[in-house]
Amino acid sequence: MSNELIFQDATQLAARIRSKEISPVEVVQAHLDRIRAVDPQINAIVTLADGAMEAARAAEAAVLKGDKLGPLHGVPFTVKDAIDTAGVLTQRGSPIFKGRIPDTDATTVARMKQAGGILLAKTNLPEFSYWIETDNLLSGRTLNPWNLDRTPGGSSGGESAAIAAGMAPIGLSTDVAISIRGPAALTGVMGFKATHGRIPMTGIWPREPRRFWHVGPMARSIRDIALAYTLLAGPDGEDGYSTSPLALDAGRMPTPGRPLRVGWLVEPGFGPIDADVAATVRAAAEALQGNGVIVEPVRIPVLEEINALDLLWKIQAMETKPAFRKATAGHEDKIFKHAQAVFDTPDTSIEDFVLAEQQIERMRDGFSRYFQRYDALLCPVTPVPAHTHDAAEFVIGGETVSSLHVMDATAPLSVTGLPGLSMRFGTSRDGLPVGVQLVGPWLGESTLLHLGARLESVSPVREARPDLSAIANRR
C-alpha cells in the first residue's frame, strides 16, 4: 500500500480518501515512511510537522462522519522553510533563525489547510532563499534524487527533491529568479510561477525586492498544479501586490477557427543552450503542433538586447542588503556564503539602478508586443540538465559560461512578472530530467495550464520517476 500511495498525485489521493477507498492515516503514514526511508541520503526535509498524524486521524473521522470535505482533504503537503508555519519551525536556512517558531501560518499555508491539506514537513533551502543550489550551515546540502552527485537546484531544491522522491505529492515554494521553475526542471517535477501578485506573499521572508518575489506550487501533475493555483490565488488583504481576483483571467482557450498560437525559442535570447535541452524544447513544440496548436519558431528582440539577470542583480544588491544586514546584525559568525555573496556585491549607483528599472520596463514592452501575436511562449527552463554540486561554470557547445547562466531563461519572467510553468518533457544523455517552460501573458494562467495539460497528455516521460530502491531498502 505504501509504494502504491507515494507516487499518486494529490488529486487522486483526495478522490480515494473521499470515496473511503483509503484513509488519510494510511496516506500520511506512507509518506512519513518514505521520508524515513530515503531522506537521510537526500536531505530534503528539515522538520517534520508535529501533529500530522493527529490531523490525519481527525481527517479520517470527518470522512466517516460524512462531513463536508475540502478538495485536498487528508492529503499531505510540504512547505519550503522560508514560508511561515504556525507552531512549526521556520528557520530560513540559517542558524541565525534556529529555533524560530511562527505564531501564524503564511496565507498560502493557511489556504492549503483550509482545503483540507495536512502539513507534513518543511523542506530545505539555501541560506535566506538566495542561491541556485540548496545548501546552508544549519541543515546542509540537498541532493538530487535522480543522481546524488547532482544538484536539485535552488532555492526550492528541498521541495523539488522531496516531491520527486515521493516524500510528498504537492508543496509550496518561492521564486525570485529561478527558484520554483529551475528546481522543478532539474528534478523532473512541475512548478508554477503565476503572474506576480496573483498569490499573496504574506508570511514569507525575505520580501526584498518585493515586486519580484513569487510563491507557488510544485507537484507531479498539471491537475495538481491547477488545483493548487485555484486554492492559492486571490487577494488576502495583506499583500499590496495581490489585487487580482482569481476570476480575472486573460487566458484564452482554443475556439473553432482560432487555435492557440505558440512561439518557441531556444537561441538566441537565452545564451548558449545544451543540445539535450534544445532537442527537448523542439520535441515539445512538435508535440503541441501535432495536438492542434499553431507553433512557430520566434525571436524576441528584447531578450537579445537586455539581460534580465544583470538587471535583477543590480536591483537586489541595493534592496536586499539592508534586510540581510538587519537580520544578521550581531550574528556575523553565522553568515554562510550565499548571504555573504550579496554583501560582497558592489553597490549599484543610482544612475545604474534607474537604468535597470527602465530596461525592465522595456522588457515588459517587448513581451507585450510578443503577446499581441502569440498566446504563449515555449522555451527552456535551464540551459543544462542538473549539474554537479558547486559548479562554477558550464561548457555549452564549446562556450564557457558562469553557473549563474542557469537563470537566464527564468529571470526575464521574474522581473516582468509573467506567469511561467516548468514541466519535464525529456531526458538527457545522462538519464537526467529535462524540462521545458511555458510562458503566458499577464493574468493568462488558464492558457498555460491548458497547454501544459496538452503536453502532459503526450509526454514521453509522464510516468518517469527516480529509482531509489537501493536507498529505500537500506536500513
Side-chain angles (χ1 to χ4, degrees):
M1 175 64 76
S2 176
N3 289 336
E4 175 195 359
L5 296 178
I6 58 174
F7 282 109
Q8 290 182 5
D9 70 359
T11 301
Q12 184 175 13
L13 290 172
R16 295 183 70 191
I17 288 170
R18 283 193 297 272
S19 68
K20 303 180 184 178
E21 182 183 348
I22 57 175
S23 80
V25 173
E26 291 172 322
V27 174
V28 170
Q29 188 62 60
H31 286 90
L32 287 173
D33 290 345
R34 180 66 168 178
I35 289 171
R36 294 187 182 102
V38 303
D39 191 59
Q41 286 72 38
I42 296 172
N43 194 35
I45 304 297
V46 296
T47 303
L48 291 175
D50 290 337
M53 285 305 299
E54 289 82 354
R57 285 189 280 270
E60 182 178 55
V63 174
L64 295 176
K65 287 191 298 182
D67 291 349
K68 183 178 179 180
L69 308 179
L72 284 178
H73 186 85
V75 176
F77 68 98
T78 45
V79 175
K80 182 179 180 178
D81 204 34
I83 304 173
D84 281 353
T85 45
V88 178
L89 287 169
T90 304
Q91 302 177 108
R92 302 167 175 171
S94 171
I96 293 171
F97 292 104
K98 184 177 180 179
R100 177 180 177 271
I101 300 178
D103 295 326
T104 57
D105 284 323
T107 295
T108 45
V109 174
R111 288 177 175 178
M112 292 289 280
K113 289 181 177 180
Q114 288 163 6
I118 295 174
L119 176 63
L120 185 69
K122 304 298 290 293
T123 55
N124 204 20
L125 70 168
E127 179 183 42
F128 301 167
S129 297
Y130 261 81
W131 194 236
I132 57 174
E133 295 193 54
T134 296
D135 191 9
N136 62 68
L137 289 176
L138 182 63
S139 45
R141 172 183 286 170
T142 299
L143 311 182
N144 192 317
W146 290 90
N147 183 330
L148 300 184
D149 294 326
R150 304 298 178 99
T151 179
S155 62
S156 304
E159 192 61 40
S160 69
I163 293 173
M167 291 185 254
I170 193 167
L172 298 175
S173 307
T174 61
D175 187 315
V176 73
I178 188 174
S179 297
I180 292 174
R181 294 155 292 152
L186 299 183
T187 58
V189 300
M190 300 186 184
F192 191 47
K193 184 192 81 64
T195 302
H196 182 258
R198 290 289 256 177
I199 302 176
M201 284 284 295
T202 307
I204 302 172
W205 189 90
R207 288 297 308 275
E208 292 81 11
R210 288 190 66 192
R211 60 201 176 283
F212 302 145
W213 270 109
H214 302 72
V215 58
M218 278 189 187
R220 291 192 298 267
S221 69
I222 289 293
R223 64 182 183 178
D224 277 6
I225 292 290
L227 173 60
Y229 170 66
T230 62
L231 298 173
L232 298 171
D236 67 347
E238 296 287 339
D239 184 342
Y241 279 104
S242 186
T243 60
S244 303
L246 180 63
L248 179 60
D249 191 288
R252 196 185 62 78
M253 294 297 102
T255 57
R258 175 63 167 89
L260 293 176
R261 184 181 295 272
V262 174
W264 71 277
L265 169 64
V266 174
E267 294 176 312
F270 299 123
I273 302 295
D274 175 83
D276 289 341
V277 175
T280 299
V281 175
R282 187 176 297 106
E286 292 170 354
L288 282 177
Q289 190 165 30
N291 207 265
V293 178
I294 297 174
V295 182
E296 301 171 349
V298 297
R299 294 179 69 165
I300 302 178
V302 72
L303 290 174
E304 301 173 36
E305 299 162 1
I306 300 173
N307 185 286
L309 183 60
D310 288 346
L311 307 181
L312 180 60
W313 199 246
K314 288 177 181 178
I315 292 169
Q316 284 181 331
M318 299 305 291
E319 297 194 23
T320 305
K321 282 184 185 180
F324 283 10
R325 287 195 180 104
K326 181 178 179 181
T328 60
H331 303 283
E332 286 78 9
D333 60 323
K334 298 177 182 177
I335 296 174
F336 194 39
K337 58 186 176 181
H338 307 318
Q340 190 60 51
V342 174
F343 291 137
D344 291 344
T345 302
D347 287 348
T348 304
S349 70
I350 186 62
E351 293 82 6
D352 286 344
F353 186 94
V354 171
L355 178 60
E357 292 282 11
Q358 291 172 339
Q359 287 181 314
I360 288 172
E361 295 306 316
R362 280 187 56 208
M363 185 164 280
R364 289 177 61 90
D365 292 343
F367 274 115
S368 184
R369 287 189 289 271
Y370 172 83
F371 285 113
Q372 290 297 305
R373 176 172 175 78
Y374 296 96
D375 298 298
L377 170 69
L378 174 67
C379 64
V381 188
T382 59
V384 293
H387 53 85
T388 55
H389 300 283
D390 290 330
E393 58 188 24
F394 311 135
V395 178
I396 305 173
E399 181 176 351
T400 300
V401 295
S402 162
S403 61
L404 295 180
H405 173 53
V406 75
M407 295 182 275
D408 278 342
T410 54
L413 278 64
S414 297
V415 298
T416 59
L418 288 165
L421 172 68
S422 170
M423 61 184 296
R424 183 181 181 183
F425 202 77
T427 303
S428 75
R429 283 162 285 186
D430 296 332
L432 297 168
V434 179
V436 298
Q437 183 172 219
L438 284 165
V439 184
W442 295 278
L443 307 179
E445 284 79 9
S446 61
T447 298
L448 292 191
L449 295 171
H450 173 80
L451 289 169
R454 285 194 175 193
L455 275 183
E456 182 184 41
S457 70
V458 295
S459 172
V461 290
R462 184 174 183 181
E463 301 298 327
R465 62 187 62 162
D467 181 7
L468 294 172
S469 56
I471 289 176
N473 293 329
R474 189 183 302 163
R475 293 291 187 270

